[in-house]
C-alpha cells in the first residue's frame, strides 16, 4: 500500500515500488525495512540508483546501475521477463505470459502493465539472452583453442556451428517463433531488433577470426546475416527429425558463401592481371 | 550523458572495459579512413611523378603513411571498430586527387600534400584534445600513437613547403578546395 501521494511522472516509480514492497516482504527483513525507509523518507525524490529512463527497458545498450542489494527497475524487469519465458510455449509472446511470469516471482499480475501489450520486450529480452549465451559459448570455445585443448575449426565449420547453436536456442519456442518474428518487424521494434541482429553477427565473425578492415567487413556480415535469416525461416517450416533439413540447408548456404569468396578473389586477380597487361601495352605503345 | 560501458542489453558486444566506445569508435574509424585516403593520394602522386626528382621524397612519405595505416588496421581489430562504408570511394577519390594534383606539376603535388597534411594535423590535434578531456590515463597508448602520427604529418607538411608548394599554380584556391574536401571526408567518415 502506498501511503504517499505521488505525481504522475513518477508512476513507473510507484508501480515498481509497489511491486518491490510485495517482493520485499518475501525477502530478508533488514533489506525490506531499509528499502521501505528509503522510500518513505524520499517520497518525491527519484530512487538514487535508478537511471533517468522511461518504464521500457532499452535494448540498445544501456547498462543498469546496481547499488548494493537494492534492485533497480531494470533488473526487476529482467527477472520478470526471464520468468515469463517459461510460459511462452503455452501463452505465446503476450502479456499473459508476462503476467504468469510475474506471478511465479510472487509479484502482482499487474506487473505485466510495465510492458508493452504486444510482448515486444519479452521477445527482445529473449533474443538478447540468446545472443549473450552464444557469445559466452564462443568465448569458451576460443579459450579452449588458445589453451591448445581444441582444434581451431575451419571458417565454414565455425560459422555452421555458431549459427546452428544459436538457432537451436529457438527450439523450445519454435511453435510461437513466427509470431515473434513478425512482432520484431514492427516499426517501433526495428531499431532494437536490428541492433541485436547486427551485434550477434559481428560477434560470430569476431570469434571466427575475421580481421578485415576494408569493405570485406561489410560483405562478410551481410552474407552471414543472409544465411542466418534464411536458415531461420527454413527452420520455421522444417518438420524433419531434429531439424536435419535445416542444418543441411545451412551447410549448403555456407558452402555457397565460401565459393562466393573464392570467386571474388579470382575475379580480382584476373582484373589485376588485366590492368597490368594494359599498362604494359600502353607503355609499349608510348615508346 | 556520454556512455559508460554498454553491456548487458546490447547483448553480444563484449565491451573493452570502461572505455567510451562511441568516441573511440569514431576516432579510430575516421583516422583509419584518413590514413587510407592519404595512402591513395601518395599512390596517385607516385603514378605521375614517380620517376621525377621528387619521386624519392614522395615515396618516403608514402611509406610512412603505409605504416600509419597498418597501425590503424591493428587498432581497428583490437577495438572492434567497423570501417567506414565509404572506403571504396576514398580509394578512388584519393588516387584521383593525388594524380590530379601531380599533373599540375611537382609544385602542385607538394601543394596538395601541404593542404592535406595541414588538415590531418589539425584533425589529430582536436582528437588529442578530446582524449585528454576524457581521460589521459585510460587512453595513454592511443594518445601516444596519435601524437606520433600528428608529428609525422607535420613533418610531411613542412617537407611540402620546403619543396615550393606555395609556388604552385593557384596555390590558395587549390589549398582551400582540398581542405574543404578533407573536412567533408572527415565529417562523413566519422558517421558513415
Amino acid at each position: 500500500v502506498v501511503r504517499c501521494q505521488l505525481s504522475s511522472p513518477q508512476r513507473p516509480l510507484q508501480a515498481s515500488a509497489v511491486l518491490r514492497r510485495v517482493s520485499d516482504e518475501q525477502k530478508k527483513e533488514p533489506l525490506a525495512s531499509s528499502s521501505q525507509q528509503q522510500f518513505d523518507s524520499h517520497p518525491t525524490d527519484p530512487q538514487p540508483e535508478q537511471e533517468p529512463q522511461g518504464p521500457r527497458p532499452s535494448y540498445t545498450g544501456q547498462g543498469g546501475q546496481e547499488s548494493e542489494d537494492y534492485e533497480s527497475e531494470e533488473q526487476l524487469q529482467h527477472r520478470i521477463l526471464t520468468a515469463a519465458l517459461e510460459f511462452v510455449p503455452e501463452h505465446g509472446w503476450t502479456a499473459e505470459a508476462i503476467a504468469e511470469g510475474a506471478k511465479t516471482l510472487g509479484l502482482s499480475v499487474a506487473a505485466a502493465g510495465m510492458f508493452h501489450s504486444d510482448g515486444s520486450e519479452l521477445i527482445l529480452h529473449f533474443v538478447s539472452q540468446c545472443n549473450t549465451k552464444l557469445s559466452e559459448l564462443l568465448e569458451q570455445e576460443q579459450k579452449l583453442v588458445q589453451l591448445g585443448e581444441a582444434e581451431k575449426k575451419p571458417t565454414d565449420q565455425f560459422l555452421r556451428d555458431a549459427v546452428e547453436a544459436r538457432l537451436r536456442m529457438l527450439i523450445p519456442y519454435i511453435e510461437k517463433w513466427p509470431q515473434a518474428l513478425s512482432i520484431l518487424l514492427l516499426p517501433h521494434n526495428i531499431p532494437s531488433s536490428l541492433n541485436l541482429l547486427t551485434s550477434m553477427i559481428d560477434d560470430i565473425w569476431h570469434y571466427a577470426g575475421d580481421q578485415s578492415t576494408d569493405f570485406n567487413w561489410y560483405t562478410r556480415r551481410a552474407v552471414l546475416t543472409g544465411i542466418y535469416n534464411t536458415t531461420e525461416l527454413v527452420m520455421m517450416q522444417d518438420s524433419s527429425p531434429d531439424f536435419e533439413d535445416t542444418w543441411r540447408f545451412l551447410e549448403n548456404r555456407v558452402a555457397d558463401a565460401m565459393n562466393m569468396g573464392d570467386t571474388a578473389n579470382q575475379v580480382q586477380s584476373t582484373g589485376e592481371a588485366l590492368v597490368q597487361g594494359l599498362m604494359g601495352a600502353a607503355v609499349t605503345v608510348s615508346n | 550523458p556520454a556512455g559508460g560501458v554498454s553491456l548487458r542489453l546490447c547483448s553480444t558486444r563484449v565491451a573493452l572495459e570502461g572505455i567510451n566506445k562511441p568516441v573511440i569508435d569514431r576516432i579510430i574509424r575516421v583516422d583509419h579512413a584518413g590514413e587510407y585516403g592519404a595512402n591513395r593520394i601518395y599512390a596517385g602522386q607516385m603514378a605521375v611523378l614517380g620517376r621525377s626528382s621528387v619521386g624519392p621524397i614522395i615515396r618516403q612519405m608514402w611509406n610512412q603513411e603505409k605504416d600509419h595505416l597498418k597501425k590503424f588496421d591493428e587498432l581497428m581489430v583490437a577495438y572492434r571498430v567497423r570501417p567506414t562504408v565509404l572506403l571504396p570511394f576514398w580509394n578512388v577519390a584519393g588516387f584521383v586527387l593525388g594524380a590530379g594534383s601531380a599533373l599540375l606539376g611537382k609544385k602542385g603535388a607538394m601543394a596538395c600534400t601541404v593542404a592535406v597534411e595541414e588538415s590531418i594535423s589539425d584533425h589529430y590535434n582536436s582528437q588529442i584534445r578530446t582524449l585528454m578531456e576524457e581521460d589521459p590515463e585510460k587512453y595513454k597508448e592511443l594518445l601516444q600513437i596519435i601524437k606520433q602520427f600528428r608529428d609525422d604529418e607535420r613533418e610531411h607538411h613542412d617537407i611540402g613547403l620546403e619543396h615550393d608548394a606555395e609556388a604552385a599554380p593557384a596555390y590558395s584556391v587549390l589549398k582551400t578546395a582540398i581542405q574543404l574536401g578533407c573536412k567533408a571526408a572527415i565529417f562523413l567518415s566519422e558517421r558513415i
Side-chain angles (χ1 to χ4, degrees):
Chain A
V1 172
V2 177
R3 283 184 281 144
C4 311
Q5 281 298 325
L6 296 174
S7 52
S8 59
Q10 296 189 312
R11 214 192 115 260
L13 173 64
Q14 179 182 11
S16 59
V18 170
L19 300 170
R20 211 170 287 127
R21 278 178 186 269
V22 175
S23 63
D24 280 349
E25 278 157 21
Q26 297 163 2
K27 278 193 199 152
K28 49 189 189 329
E29 269 307 296
L31 177 62
S33 56
S34 74
S35 70
Q36 287 195 14
Q37 268 178 11
Q38 207 170 7
F39 180 74
D40 290 343
S41 55
H42 301 284
T44 49
D45 294 345
Q47 293 288 357
E49 77 291 347
Q50 282 194 5
E51 290 181 86
Q53 61 179 24
R56 316 258 178 254
S58 139
Y59 290 88
T60 49
Q62 290 181 23
Q65 288 180 0
E66 284 134 57
S67 73
E68 300 156 339
D69 300 323
Y70 209 94
E71 189 182 49
S72 73
E73 183 173 332
E74 207 177 298
Q75 285 176 301
L76 177 67
Q77 288 176 335
H78 272 243
R79 283 202 308 137
I80 297 178
L81 292 177
T82 307
L85 286 177
E86 194 188 320
F87 300 95
V88 165
E90 191 190 330
H91 294 276
W93 304 92
T94 57
E96 279 90 52
I98 301 178
E100 293 294 322
K103 268 205 319 218
T104 61
L105 291 180
L107 300 170
S108 145
V109 168
M114 268 202 281
F115 305 99
H116 236 129
S117 58
D118 60 6
S120 299
E121 285 99 338
L122 184 54
I123 304 171
L124 290 170
H125 173 81
F126 172 67
V127 171
S128 179
Q129 246 187 359
C130 290
N131 291 353
T132 309
K133 272 195 275 189
L134 179 67
S135 277
E136 285 165 6
L137 185 66
L138 294 177
E139 177 80 40
Q140 276 171 359
E141 272 181 26
Q142 192 185 50
K143 283 213 178 78
L144 288 180
V145 170
Q146 282 173 344
L147 291 173
E149 287 172 27
E151 284 290 305
K152 190 163 175 352
K153 294 186 202 166
T155 311
D156 59 342
Q157 175 84 38
F158 185 93
L159 296 177
R160 279 208 325 259
D161 289 347
V163 172
E164 182 179 332
R166 177 61 178 80
L167 287 175
R168 278 189 181 276
M169 298 181 198
L170 300 178
I171 293 182
Y173 309 93
I174 197 93
E175 302 279 309
K176 307 285 181 183
W177 193 244
Q179 174 198 10
L181 282 181
S182 61
I183 292 178
L184 284 178
L185 286 173
L186 291 174
H188 68 90
N189 284 330
I190 293 212
S192 313
S193 63
L194 212 51
N195 194 10
L196 286 169
L197 178 64
T198 52
S199 48
M200 175 203 30
I201 299 285
D202 182 47
D203 254 9
I204 297 180
W205 267 121
H206 169 74
Y207 287 106
D210 176 42
Q211 298 200 327
S212 40
T213 52
D214 54 4
F215 203 74
N216 265 327
W217 192 96
Y218 290 93
T219 326
R220 287 182 181 178
R221 279 151 185 77
V223 166
L224 187 58
T225 309
I227 294 177
Y228 180 84
N229 283 337
T230 48
T231 311
E232 194 180 21
L233 290 175
V234 163
M235 195 177 171
M236 295 301 106
Q237 304 179 332
D238 187 5
S239 51
S240 61
D242 194 37
F243 299 95
E244 28 180 70
D245 286 349
T246 305
W247 311 136
R248 202 171 313 129
F249 176 86
L250 174 60
E251 191 178 333
N252 290 336
R253 295 293 76 71
V254 171
D256 284 346
M258 297 290 120
N259 284 341
M260 220 177 9
D262 286 340
T263 313
N265 283 340
Q266 280 176 357
V267 167
Q268 190 179 12
S269 38
T270 310
E272 275 168 6
L274 218 74
V275 166
Q276 280 199 344
L278 286 173
M279 297 267 275
V283 167
T284 315
V285 164
S286 67
N287 281 351
Chain B
V5 174
S6 67
L7 264 200
R8 270 186 294 136
L9 298 178
C10 183
S11 59
T12 59
R13 189 139 294 143
V14 177
L16 302 152
E17 306 304 311
I19 64 165
N20 187 342
K21 197 91 185 13
V23 166
I24 299 296
D25 258 19
R26 265 196 185 185
I27 288 181
I28 295 182
R29 177 162 49 252
V30 73
D31 287 351
H32 177 265
E35 296 299 344
Y36 183 80
N39 239 286
R40 296 302 295 156
I41 291 176
Y42 284 124
Q45 291 188 340
M46 277 306 282
V48 177
L49 292 171
R51 263 156 292 171
S52 70
S53 57
V54 293
I57 296 285
I58 300 181
R59 181 175 291 284
Q60 183 198 328
M61 294 196 283
W62 190 16
N63 285 338
Q64 278 186 313
E65 300 295 354
K66 284 182 189 160
D67 286 337
H68 288 188
L69 183 61
K70 217 168 87 176
K71 191 64 185 159
F72 275 115
D73 278 341
E74 289 166 15
L75 286 176
M76 193 164 248
V77 173
Y79 284 91
R80 293 184 62 178
V81 176
R82 83 176 160 83
T84 167
V85 162
L86 299 169
L87 279 180
F89 184 67
W90 299 144
N91 185 354
V92 174
F95 193 88
V96 165
L97 176 60
S101 62
L103 287 172
L104 292 173
K106 297 181 207 151
K107 301 196 182 106
M110 290 300 152
C112 172
T113 301
V114 165
V116 171
E117 301 294 7
E118 191 178 304
S119 283
I120 292 192
S121 339
D122 286 344
H123 166 69
Y124 277 151
N125 274 334
S126 66
Q127 286 188 340
I128 291 172
R129 270 193 290 275
T130 308
L131 288 176
M132 296 289 273
E133 278 166 12
E134 284 274 324
D135 189 339
E137 269 315 300
K138 210 191 294 175
Y139 303 117
K140 206 159 76 157
E141 193 208 332
L142 194 55
L143 268 171
Q144 217 172 334
I145 294 173
I146 296 183
K147 281 185 189 162
Q148 172 66 44
F149 288 5
R150 188 241 0 232
D151 294 341
D152 291 344
E153 309 294 2
R154 270 272 121 186
E155 201 187 309
H156 292 180
H157 170 266
D158 295 339
I159 291 176
L161 283 178
E162 275 168 35
H163 284 80
D164 301 326
E166 283 159 331
Y171 174 68
S172 49
V173 175
L174 196 58
K175 185 163 174 241
T176 314
I178 293 177
Q179 291 194 324
L180 263 174
C182 286
K183 281 210 183 72
I186 289 173
F187 180 84
L188 290 173
S189 301
E190 276 180 343
R191 288 156 184 79
I192 317 181

